[in-house]
Amino acid sequence: MANASGGTLRYQGTDSGSVKHEQGLLKRLLRSEALFPWLLIAPAAFYLVLVVAWPLAETIRLSFTNANIGGEAYIGTANYEKLFGSRKFSQTISTTFYWMFLSVSLKVILGLIGATLLNAAIPGRGLFRMLVMPPWIVPVAIGCFGWLWLYNGHFGIISGTLQYIGILDGPFEFLAYKKSAFYAAVVTDVWVGVPMVTIFFLAAMQGVPRDLYEAAYMDGASRWYRFRRITIPQILPVIITMSILTVIWTFNSFEIIWILTEGGPRRATTTLIIDTYKMAIANFKFGQGAARTVIVVSLLSTFSLVYLFALHQIKKRFEAT
């Protein structure tokens, strides 16, 4: 009995230890499963902290200093007060938003027209679709150097053609005058950006059901009516998305203006990005440049929030239908 009882006790002890061992294994397994996703995102999180979060925090810190090539000292909000009280900075903001408005409007309108033409059933449609791509494929710097030649007053083809047909009496330097330089930069930016917008709109148009067009055609609807009542509503989500993304990309545009005019003449093409670069890099005024950068980040964050809100509304619309 004792032996049996003892044996029973030993069995129970062994069984209890086995259960505790299994419970320990289960807990470790659960911990490892909970830890595994964090291990997967750890490299990306480390990259974001190192490349995004830390530089952003350092930029915000510098914006409250008078940092320059000789050192730095804390000056509070003096950089921001100087910015918002500056007439030049107000002019820079106006130039930036006017630049964005013109460029984005032209990209969207021309992209919509180009996509409509490329979507039409015409001979050689594949060739035309291929020819629309070079401005987007060619590196921006190379394309801008080509436009520099075109805008040259003495041997540029634009000035030469205008002289030949009698519009100009002599050479005209497009990049030497405030208005002409600004609109020349806009034209170049539109030339670079239109192909991508066109391709996205074309892809959206090709996804519109043909049954809608056939039914409207059978009812006697004109092409303009079909475009206005079928094409536009069907691709409206893509139009909204591309418009907001184009605003962000145009706001960040640096190479085009810098290669063509470097922000001149007389600050006519100085956008916020160009002004920030000049202040922080060219003039070595890192504190003032950092304050401008914080404003740039704030504006871009606002654009991004608008973009996310637009995506959310588009998603709700599709779920409702």
Side-chain angles (χ1 to χ4, degrees):
M1 189 69 177
N3 291 338
S5 177
T8 302
L9 290 173
R10 284 194 298 271
Y11 176 77
Q12 289 176 349
T14 304
D15 185 61
S16 176
S18 177
V19 170
K20 290 181 179 179
H21 178 67
E22 290 178 357
Q23 289 177 346
L25 288 175
L26 181 60
K27 289 180 180 179
R28 286 195 294 271
L29 180 61
L30 291 175
R31 281 198 299 267
S32 63
E33 287 182 351
L35 184 62
F36 184 67
W38 293 101
L39 292 175
L40 290 177
I41 67 173
F46 176 75
Y47 172 81
L48 289 176
V49 170
L50 185 66
V51 178
V52 179
W54 178 76
L56 180 59
E58 179 67 10
T59 300
I60 295 174
R61 186 191 68 81
L62 283 175
S63 69
F64 295 102
T65 69
N66 64 347
N68 53 58
I69 200 170
E72 65 179 63
Y74 178 77
I75 57 173
T77 59
N79 286 329
Y80 295 99
E81 294 172 2
K82 184 177 180 180
L83 270 181
F84 293 116
S86 171
R87 184 179 178 183
K88 286 185 177 180
F89 186 72
S90 301
Q91 179 187 353
T92 299
I93 294 292
S94 301
T95 301
T96 301
F97 280 93
Y98 186 43
W99 153 271
M100 281 173 42
F101 173 75
L102 281 182
S103 183
V104 174
S105 299
L106 288 173
K107 287 175 186 176
V108 172
I109 294 172
L110 294 178
L112 196 58
I113 295 173
T116 304
L117 295 175
L118 293 175
N119 194 42
I122 57 175
R125 182 172 60 178
L127 177 62
F128 291 126
R129 290 179 179 178
M130 181 182 68
L131 292 176
V132 79
M133 296 298 294
W136 188 25
I137 297 174
V138 172
V140 175
I142 295 176
C144 289
F145 280 118
W147 280 99
L148 275 175
W149 280 71
L150 292 174
Y151 291 140
N152 188 281
H154 295 280
F155 48 80
I157 190 172
I158 299 177
S159 178
T161 302
L162 293 178
Q163 291 178 67
Y164 180 78
I165 61 179
I167 296 179
L168 293 177
D169 296 329
F172 183 81
E173 293 287 350
F174 289 91
L175 301 179
Y177 303 94
K178 295 179 66 174
K179 288 188 177 180
S180 60
F182 179 84
Y183 292 116
V186 169
V187 169
T188 305
D189 186 68
V190 170
W191 177 82
V192 172
V194 162
M196 184 188 64
V197 178
T198 302
I199 294 301
F200 273 83
F201 286 170
L202 176 61
M205 288 180 182
Q206 291 179 334
V208 178
R210 304 303 303 176
D211 299 346
L212 299 176
Y213 292 109
E214 292 173 0
Y217 178 78
M218 294 298 296
D219 291 339
S222 63
R223 287 188 176 183
W224 170 243
Y225 185 88
R226 281 176 280 167
F227 178 78
R228 186 164 50 93
R229 293 293 186 177
I230 298 177
T231 304
I232 295 297
Q234 288 292 317
I235 70 170
L236 186 60
V238 178
I239 294 176
I240 295 173
T241 301
M242 282 306 302
S243 297
I244 299 174
L245 287 176
T246 306
V247 164
I248 295 173
W249 293 330
T250 304
F251 183 89
N252 276 326
S253 181
F254 174 81
E255 304 99 321
I256 294 173
I257 295 178
W258 188 255
I259 293 174
L260 292 180
T261 64
E262 296 186 4
R266 290 178 293 169
R267 300 179 61 87
T269 58
T270 298
T271 61
L272 191 52
I273 297 296
I274 299 294
D275 187 48
T276 302
Y277 175 82
K278 282 184 173 182
M279 186 60 65
I281 306 301
N283 296 329
F284 303 107
K285 296 181 180 179
F286 307 126
Q288 296 183 37
R292 286 165 168 79
T293 303
V294 171
I295 295 173
V296 170
V297 172
S298 301
L299 290 173
L300 289 177
S301 298
T302 303
F303 298 149
S304 300
L305 289 175
V306 172
Y307 173 62
L308 293 175
F309 176 77
L311 286 181
H312 179 67
Q313 293 299 116
I314 291 170
K315 182 179 178 181
K316 285 175 59 178
R317 175 186 172 185
F318 274 100
E319 288 176 351
T321 57

